[in-house]
C-alpha cells in the first residue's frame, strides 16, 4: 500500500526512537547512581543499530539493491554525528 523507501524508514525509525528516548528521560530521569529510562533506551539503541545493520547487510547481499547499502551508511552516519555531538558538547 505505502511504498516508502528503506532509507526514509531508517531515518524515521531513528527520529522516533530518539524522541522516545527524550520522553523517557523526562518521565523517568536519571539520578547520580541510577540510570533512568532514557539512558537504558539509549544503551538498547546500540544493539538495535547493530542488528538492523546486519539485517540490511543480509538483504543487500541477497538482492543487491542499493537502498539497503544506503541505509547502512545512514545508520553509521547517525552514530558518527551522535559521537561527534557528545564529544564536542563537553
Amino acid at each position: 500500500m505505502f511504498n516508502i523507501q528503506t532509507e526514509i524508514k531508517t531515518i524515521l525509525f531513528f527520529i522516533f526512537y530518539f524522541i522516545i528516548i527524550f520522553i523517557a528521560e523526562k518521565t523517568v530521569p536519571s539520578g547520580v547512581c541510577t540510570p533512568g529510562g532514557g539512558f537504558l533506551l539509549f544503551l538498547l539503541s546500540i544493539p538495535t543499530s547493530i542488528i538492523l545493520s546486519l539485517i540490511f547487510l543480509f538483504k543487500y547481499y541477497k538482492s543487491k539493491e542499493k537502498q539497503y547499502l544506503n541505509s547502512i551508511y545512514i545508520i553509521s552516519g547517525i552514530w558518527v554525528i551522535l559521537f561527534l555531538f557528545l564529544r564536542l558538547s563537553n
Side-chain angles (χ1 to χ4, degrees), residues 1-31:
M1 182 175 195
F2 293 110
N3 190 9
I4 301 174
Q5 292 181 344
T6 308
E7 298 96 342
I8 296 173
K9 288 179 189 176
T10 304
I11 292 170
L12 289 176
F13 171 75
F14 279 102
I15 287 173
F16 288 132
Y17 194 81
F18 286 119
I19 288 172
I20 290 171
I21 288 174
F22 181 75
I23 291 170
E25 185 61 33
K26 292 298 179 185
T27 57
V28 184
S30 298

Side-chain angles (χ1 to χ4, degrees), residues 37-55:
F39 180 74
L40 293 176
L41 283 175
F42 179 73
L43 286 180
L44 187 63
S45 68
I46 297 168
T48 304
S49 297
I50 293 171
I51 291 170
L52 194 58
S53 294
L54 289 175
I55 290 171

